[in-house]
């Protein structure tokens, strides 16, 4: 029966099944574990790409209703019908003009009215893709949910494919079983050799074993030829996943929910995330802002996130930022689930949970549940079909459109949808080689733990930051300068801190990094360790974040120990988030809160504080270069020789090239509040590994009045320190005041005498105030703005209340129009010192015309 089903499935090519799923009918032809089909065969199967067709759609009114639940027939919906002229992949894009508001998109199979693709992002830019057989009839619906514009543009394009040829090139429709296999190791050298085989190594690794996904007999043979002893843990992962989904369905039927903020008991689909992100932003506008990054995915999907904080719609007020980022790898479903639940936790807990309320008062929290959106649409939308089911029409429909790729199931896709070796971007994701987004960041890119072979699961990509999804995260981090960041993966039950490369040793901030990592590990029951203790990795998110910005970056590998990528929801999501057993009531929720609160820890961060005219914009920029590893150009071919048990150096790279230097730029800003006093939480100006060499780097801070730069300063600030600045920015500073331990409030006024009179009389008058006590040995020093040259002084033995003092210019000094610095030093009656600085602007009087 099984062989008959597969043979029939190979010829039954129909419209793609399942929400967001793409065509995938067979394993890859190359003899290497990876993703996608043989590049030459895939390119040869492309019969042409039709010119884009544009259609103007009109929806006369807006209705805030779901577009993906089923076809609708009302004036808020615009409809387009299409019949496929050939086999191929059809891409559908919706774009609204100015004032378009929010539109959603759904594609239905016109005969059964079954939804086959959808998109429901924040705005009016939507994308969907389906793979069709000639004659397939599709119904597209564009739903106008909000906005003034009645019109939107639908752009469609067909990539014509020889689908039977693709199946044949991939070796037929026979599904290779995917197994979870434990590989025995004799040391770190064995782990390097295991990575070099190209098999799919998970993060479930310790000193003696590593778990891998074996996609068919070829992977098992590869392990044997490399000399590894193995033990099969799960013979058929697809069957195990079916059992997990059945368990989820049983939990769904039980009353009472799951204990999560949402009460969920099943994994979300992509459109669920889109709808919930939108719902949170709509329901909680005072604390939530929906954001879309400029860089989109390879296929063109928007990457979106939520910013959650008090007064979120106002200008940036200097609070620190925490970023929770998830799902770099398409198959790691629990990572996105936990991030989504944390967003709900924050908005539902505001005003009810004192800890969350305080967090949102003091920190800007960014939650980005999905990074690799294209890969996730394919992974989550792919059915895992039991070949022993009855061969009814519905089953064959599913089997023909979602069974296997690369010798394994589509749901275990890891990488993104970049075809890499095929110069046709319209290739379906299921046949795309793909790049591992979490090996594509610039820091140490091209080194150990990231493959140069496009077929490998850890393929690093053709260049640092080559992938749009990675550029999007770079855009987010470089523009917000987060003081703490978590990137969430699964399935190894680990808290990993930088660095990921053993040759880098310990991070310069190891004590602080370890303290927070250990606290998160205690909350979750996971193991806290350096990144390289798992195995060497390069080009990862947390390493780049830490090295480029100085913000504390961590990778969390969600458990449970010996779990699976999408095991049953109760154990792999619920128990991990809320805690179970010894961690009950804590779990990932507590770990995420600890990381968010650490964003405002004075010992972990830095601050720039001072005075400036209210309403001015302060903008920091910093340019530098991130260095890659000596880039491995040639990988050693198999079979690898067995190394000695004590060998520690990798043997997989036999051709190292030069280090590449990648230009980087940080740019972020804050607004000076109405009282003119600002406190800006930032990362140290010197990057950690640069600071370890003894070098110092500075931020360039510009003070802007609208678009006009009024003042520029170079600012150095170390971790745990605060830089104090006085920034007149072409205006007038607010009155300075200081309160010392004795309770005396001290004020230092401006020079009251006109500039011309100061120069003529060689003196000017200022006001010094001392309320609540008295000052003695008072000295006021007038200097250049940077304080390098003293221009004049005023002295008094005693000041009580308010008193005018005369500032006498030094011999030969003549003041010009400009900004100067005043510094007051004194002692209180009990001997405690006082120091106060402010800037003043002196201008020559303009001559009046007749």
């Amino acid at each position: 029966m099984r062989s008959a089903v597969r043979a029939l499935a190979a010829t039954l090519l129909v419209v793609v099944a399942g929400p967001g799923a793409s065509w995938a009918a067979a394993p890859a032809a190359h003899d290497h574990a990876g993703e996608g089909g043989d590049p030459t065969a895939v390119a040869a199967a492309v019969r042409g790409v039709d010119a884009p067709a544009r259609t103007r759609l009109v929806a006369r009114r807006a209705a805030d209703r779901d577009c993906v639940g089923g076809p609708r027939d009302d004036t808020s919906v615009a409809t387009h019908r299409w019949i496929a002229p050939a086999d191929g992949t059809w891409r559908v894009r919706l774009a609204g003009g100015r004032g378009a508001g929010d539109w959603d998109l759904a594609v239905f199979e016109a005969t059964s009215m079954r939804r086959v693709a959808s998109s429901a992002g924040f705005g009016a830019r939507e994308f969907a893709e389906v793979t069709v057989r000639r004659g397939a009839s599709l119904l597209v619906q564009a739903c106008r949910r909000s906005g003034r514009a009645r019109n939107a543009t639908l752009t469609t394009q067909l990539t014509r494919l020889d689908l039977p040829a693709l199946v044949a090139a991939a070796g037929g429709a026979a599904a290779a079983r995917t197994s979870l296999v434990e590989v025995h190791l004799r040391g770190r050298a064995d782990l390097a050799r295991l990575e070099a085989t190209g098999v799919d190594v998970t993060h479930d690794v310790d000193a003696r074993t590593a778990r891998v996904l074996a996609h068919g007999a070829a992977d098992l043979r590869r392990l044997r030829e490399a000399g590894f002893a193995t033990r099969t843990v799960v013979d058929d992962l697809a069957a195990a996943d079916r059992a997990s989904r059945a368990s989820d369905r049983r939990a769904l039927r039980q009353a009472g929910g799951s204990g999560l903020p949402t009460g969920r008991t099943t994994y979300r689909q992509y459109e669920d995330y889109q709808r919930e992100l939108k719902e949170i932003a709509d329901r909680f506008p005072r604390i939530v802002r929906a954001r879309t990054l400029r860089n989109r995915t390879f296929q063109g999907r928007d990457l979106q996130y939520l910013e959650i904080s008090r007064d979120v719609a106002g200008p940036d007020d200097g609070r620190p930022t925490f970023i929770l980022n998830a799902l770099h790898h398409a198959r790691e479903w629990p990572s996105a689930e936990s991030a989504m639940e944390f967003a709900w936790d924050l908005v539902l807990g505001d005003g009810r949970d004192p800890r969350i309320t305080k967090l949102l008062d003091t920190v800007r929290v960014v939650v980005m549940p999905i990074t690799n959106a294209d890969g996730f649409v394919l992974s989550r939308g792919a059915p895992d079909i039991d070949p022993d089911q009855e061969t009814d029409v519905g089953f064959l429909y599913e089997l023909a459109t979602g069974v296997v790729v690369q010798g394994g199931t589509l749901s275990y896709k890891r990488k993104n949808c970049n075809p890499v070796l095929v110069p046709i971007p319209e290739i379906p994701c299921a046949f795309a080689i793909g790049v591992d987004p979490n090996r594509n960041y610039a820091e140490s890119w091209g080194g150990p733990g990231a493959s140069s072979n496009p077929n490998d699961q850890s393929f690093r990509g053709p260049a640092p930051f080559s992938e749009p999804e990675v550029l999007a995260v770079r855009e987010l981090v470089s523009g917000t300068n987060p003081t703490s960041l978590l990137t969430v993966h699964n399935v190894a039950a680990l808290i990993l801190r930088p660095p990921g490369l053993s040759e880098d040793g310990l991070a310069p901030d190891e004590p602080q990094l370890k303290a927070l990592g250990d606290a998160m590990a205690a909350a979750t029951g996971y193991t806290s360790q350096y990144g390289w203790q798992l195995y060497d990795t390069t080009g990862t998110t947390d390493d780049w974040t830490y090295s480029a910005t100085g913000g504390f970056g961590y990778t969390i590998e969600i458990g449970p120990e010996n779990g699976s990528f999408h095991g049953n929801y109760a154990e792999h999501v619920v128990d991990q988030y809320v805690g179970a057993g010894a961690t009950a009531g804590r779990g990932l929720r507590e770990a995420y809160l600890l990381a968010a609160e650490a964003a405002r820890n004075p010992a972990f961060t830095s601050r720039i504080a001072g005075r400036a005219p209210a309403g001015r914009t302060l903008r920091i920029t910093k340019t530098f270069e991130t260095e890659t590893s000596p880039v491995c150009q040639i990988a050693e071919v198999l079979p690898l020789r067995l190394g000695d048990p004590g060998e520690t150096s990798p043997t997989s790279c036999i051709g190292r090239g030069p280090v590449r230097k990648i230009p980087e730029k940080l740019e972020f800003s804050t607004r000076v509040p109405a009282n003119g006093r600002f406190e800006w939480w930032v990362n140290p100006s010197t990057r950690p590994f640069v600071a370890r060499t003894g070098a110092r780097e500075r931020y360039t801070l510009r003070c802007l009045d609208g678009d006009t730069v009024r003042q520029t300063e170079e600012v150095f600030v170390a971790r745990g320190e605060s830089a104090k600045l006085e920034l007149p920015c072409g205006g007038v500073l607010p009155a300075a005041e200081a309160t010392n331990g004795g309770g005396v409030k001290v004020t230092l006024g401006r020079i009251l005498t006109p500039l011309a009179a100061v120069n003529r009389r060689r003196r000017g008058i200022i006001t010094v105030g001392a309320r609540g006590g008295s000052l003695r040995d008072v000295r006021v020093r007038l200097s250049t703005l940077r304080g390098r040259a003293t221009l004049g002084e005023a002295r008094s033995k005693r000041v009580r209340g308010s008193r005018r003092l005369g500032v006498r210019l030094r011999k030969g000094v003549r003041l010009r129009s400009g900004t100067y610095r005043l510094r007051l030093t004194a002692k209180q009656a009990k001997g405690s010192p006082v120091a106060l600085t402010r800037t003043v602007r002196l201008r020559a009087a303009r001559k009046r015309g007749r």
Side-chain angles (χ1 to χ4, degrees):
M1 175 65 73
R2 180 175 299 184
S3 60
V5 167
R6 289 173 176 166
L8 183 55
T11 60
L12 185 61
L13 304 174
V14 292
V15 178
V16 89
S22 298
W23 170 262
H30 51 72
D31 187 32
H32 212 293
E35 296 183 13
D38 175 69
T40 304
V42 170
V46 177
R47 294 290 182 253
V49 181
D50 290 0
R54 292 178 176 83
T55 305
R56 180 171 173 263
L57 300 180
V58 179
R60 292 195 297 273
R61 66 182 181 90
D64 190 12
R65 294 171 55 193
D66 197 324
C67 188
V68 301
R72 287 166 39 197
D73 184 15
D74 59 67
T75 56
S76 68
V77 176
T79 300
H80 174 74
R81 294 181 180 272
W82 181 80
I83 296 177
D87 296 351
T89 299
W90 195 49
R91 296 189 171 200
V92 185
R93 300 182 190 277
L94 183 71
R98 180 172 299 184
D102 182 20
W103 290 61
D104 290 348
L105 179 71
V107 183
F108 301 90
E109 198 278 316
T111 302
S112 65
M113 290 301 171
R114 177 178 183 178
R115 175 168 49 88
V116 294
S118 64
S119 181
F122 292 149
R125 190 168 61 187
E126 309 293 350
F127 170 79
E129 178 187 67
V130 293
T131 300
V132 298
R133 191 69 194 266
R134 179 180 177 181
S137 178
L138 298 182
L139 174 70
V140 179
Q141 291 205 329
C143 303
R144 178 185 166 199
R145 301 191 64 169
S146 66
R148 301 186 307 273
R150 300 170 58 187
N151 304 330
T153 300
L154 185 74
T155 303
T156 61
Q157 188 173 29
L158 177 67
T159 301
R160 298 174 180 244
L161 299 171
D162 186 343
L163 293 177
L166 279 173
V167 173
R177 175 173 294 178
T178 297
S179 303
L180 181 64
V181 174
E182 189 173 84
V183 178
H184 299 282
L185 307 175
R186 296 178 296 174
R188 290 188 64 84
D190 264 8
L191 183 57
R193 292 192 311 104
L194 179 62
E195 283 278 344
T197 65
V199 296
D200 191 351
V201 182
T202 74
H203 284 129
D204 198 351
V205 176
D206 58 32
R208 294 298 176 188
T209 61
R211 292 192 170 193
V212 306
L213 299 185
H215 300 296
D219 278 354
L220 296 173
R221 183 179 67 251
R222 191 171 294 112
L223 292 170
R224 288 195 302 270
E225 291 174 350
F228 288 108
T230 63
R231 179 178 71 89
T232 299
V233 179
V234 179
D235 182 57
D236 187 348
L237 277 175
D241 285 349
R242 288 193 296 274
S244 293
R245 300 296 74 76
S247 173
D248 296 345
R249 288 190 293 271
R250 288 193 298 271
L252 181 61
R253 291 191 292 268
Q254 297 174 358
S258 63
L260 293 175
T262 62
R264 285 193 71 93
T265 61
T266 58
Y267 288 101
R268 293 166 171 88
Q269 296 277 358
Y270 180 62
E271 56 269 20
D272 295 325
Y273 285 99
Q274 291 182 302
R275 287 197 299 257
E276 288 185 41
L277 290 172
K278 193 180 299 185
E279 179 185 355
I280 290 174
D282 289 344
R283 284 179 56 185
F284 305 93
R286 293 185 178 181
I287 60 170
V288 179
R289 180 162 52 175
R291 307 297 295 268
T292 300
L293 291 163
R294 182 177 65 254
N295 286 285
R296 289 176 254 171
T297 68
F298 187 85
Q299 290 190 311
R301 290 182 172 88
D302 281 338
L303 287 170
Q304 300 173 327
Y305 65 91
L306 297 179
E307 183 180 343
I308 308 174
S309 184
R310 187 78 59 236
D311 301 322
V312 70
D316 193 315
D317 54 9
R319 283 176 289 178
T321 298
F322 163 65
I323 294 178
L324 180 63
N325 163 269
L327 207 112
H328 268 72
H329 295 143
R331 65 194 180 193
E332 296 174 3
W333 306 349
S335 69
E337 292 288 331
S338 68
M340 194 74 249
E341 293 297 330
F342 188 63
W344 279 110
D345 235 336
L346 295 180
V347 296
L348 295 175
D350 182 43
R352 298 179 177 87
D353 183 321
R355 186 178 182 188
I356 288 176
T357 303
K358 181 180 178 181
L359 175 66
L360 299 187
D361 285 341
T362 56
V363 176
R364 290 181 179 269
V365 179
V366 168
V367 180
M368 184 178 178
I370 295 177
T371 303
N372 183 1
D374 294 345
F376 179 69
V377 167
L378 183 66
S379 171
R380 185 65 187 98
D384 287 323
I385 301 303
D386 185 350
D388 291 327
Q389 291 183 51
E390 292 298 322
T391 56
D392 58 23
V393 174
F395 164 63
L396 291 173
Y397 182 94
E398 296 278 356
L399 182 63
T401 57
V403 281
V404 288
V405 68
Q406 80 203 34
T409 59
L410 275 172
S411 61
Y412 282 91
K413 180 175 181 61
R414 171 184 168 104
K415 298 187 282 183
N416 72 357
C417 292
N418 186 347
V420 184
L421 303 180
V422 182
I424 304 169
E426 293 80 10
I427 288 296
C429 184
F431 290 96
I433 290 287
V435 170
D436 182 344
N438 204 41
R439 298 295 184 272
N440 191 241
Y441 292 85
E443 175 62 25
S444 299
W445 180 88
S451 177
S452 59
N453 187 336
N455 292 321
D456 286 354
Q457 294 284 1
S458 61
F459 175 49
R460 69 197 184 199
F465 294 124
S466 63
E467 304 311 293
E469 297 89 350
V470 176
L471 284 173
V473 176
R474 182 197 201 187
E475 171 194 345
L476 174 60
V477 170
S478 298
T480 58
N481 199 35
T483 49
S484 68
L485 175 146
L486 295 182
T487 179
V488 189
H489 295 250
N490 60 290
V491 62
L494 296 171
I495 308 290
L496 302 175
R497 62 185 183 272
L501 193 58
S502 57
E503 65 187 45
D504 289 337
L506 300 183
D509 303 293
E510 164 62 11
Q512 300 100 313
L513 285 165
K514 183 178 188 303
L516 179 55
D518 289 353
M520 291 190 287
T524 54
Y526 302 164
T527 300
S528 171
Q529 62 184 50
Y530 318 122
W532 54 261
Q533 283 181 283
L534 177 61
Y535 52 78
D536 275 339
T537 55
T538 52
T540 59
T541 318
D542 55 339
D543 272 6
W544 172 77
T545 298
Y546 176 65
S547 66
T549 73
F552 282 8
Y554 296 82
T555 292
I556 289 190
E557 286 280 344
I558 297 177
E561 290 187 9
N562 301 324
S564 59
F565 284 109
H566 16 88
N568 71 81
Y569 198 84
E571 184 180 5
H572 289 72
V573 178
V574 179
D575 288 353
Q576 304 310 305
Y577 187 78
V578 300
T583 65
R586 295 182 292 163
L588 288 170
R589 180 185 191 271
E590 174 68 13
Y592 294 168
L593 286 171
L594 287 170
E597 291 165 340
R600 201 179 174 89
N601 187 327
F604 295 175
T605 59
S606 306
R607 283 168 288 171
I608 300 174
R611 295 184 300 152
R616 293 288 199 267
T617 296
L618 306 182
R619 180 171 298 157
I620 278 178
T621 58
K622 179 182 174 185
T623 57
F624 54 95
E625 292 178 324
T626 294
E627 292 190 356
T628 69
S629 293
V631 179
C632 181
Q633 306 293 328
I634 304 171
E636 186 173 354
V637 296
L638 295 174
L640 294 171
R641 69 178 183 279
L642 289 173
D644 296 330
E647 186 180 355
T648 58
S649 59
T651 61
S652 59
C653 184
I654 59 176
R656 293 195 178 277
V659 168
R660 302 186 196 177
K661 295 185 177 182
I662 310 302
E664 305 261 26
K665 181 179 181 180
L666 306 180
E667 183 172 283
F668 45 98
S669 61
T670 189
R671 184 78 60 85
V672 179
N675 64 8
R677 293 173 175 81
F678 62 89
E679 183 181 49
W680 198 0
W681 293 74
V682 297
N683 286 309
S685 58
T686 306
R687 290 170 289 157
F689 291 102
V690 174
R692 189 162 66 182
T693 68
R696 288 161 62 104
E697 296 178 326
R698 296 178 181 270
Y699 289 129
T700 298
L701 186 150
R702 293 179 174 85
C703 183
L704 289 84
D705 181 5
D707 294 329
T708 304
V709 177
R710 297 295 188 185
Q711 188 173 342
T712 301
E713 297 286 336
E714 298 296 316
V715 181
F716 168 80
V717 60
R719 195 179 302 281
E721 295 183 359
S722 180
K724 305 294 184 181
L725 296 180
E726 301 285 301
L727 303 170
C729 305
V732 178
L733 285 174
E737 64 180 32
T739 301
N740 242 17
V744 180
K745 181 169 287 187
V746 183
T747 59
L748 177 61
R750 59 189 177 87
I751 296 180
L752 302 175
T753 313
L755 178 61
V758 172
N759 285 328
R760 184 172 64 253
R761 300 174 186 173
R762 310 294 301 159
R763 62 178 290 179
I765 302 299
I766 65 169
T767 301
V768 174
R771 288 183 292 168
S774 63
L775 301 176
R776 61 185 178 86
D777 299 332
V778 178
R779 179 189 179 193
V780 178
R781 177 172 171 259
L782 174 68
S783 66
T784 58
L785 184 61
R786 295 183 183 275
R788 295 173 180 171
T790 299
L791 305 176
E793 285 184 325
R795 292 179 180 270
S796 177
K797 289 186 177 181
R798 184 180 176 86
V799 170
R800 180 186 289 274
S802 179
R803 181 175 175 183
R804 291 187 174 188
L805 301 182
V807 178
R808 293 184 179 274
L809 296 185
R810 289 192 170 184
K811 186 177 180 179
V813 171
R814 184 175 180 84
L815 302 180
R816 298 180 180 179
S817 295
T819 304
Y820 298 89
R821 181 180 181 185
L822 286 172
R823 180 169 177 80
L824 179 150
T825 57
K827 293 181 180 179
Q828 295 187 57
K830 296 181 180 180
S832 54
V834 173
L836 187 63
T837 302
R838 72 162 297 175
T839 56
V840 294
R841 185 165 181 81
L842 300 178
R843 296 181 180 176
R846 296 181 180 178
K847 295 182 179 179
R848 294 184 179 180
R850 294 187 178 180

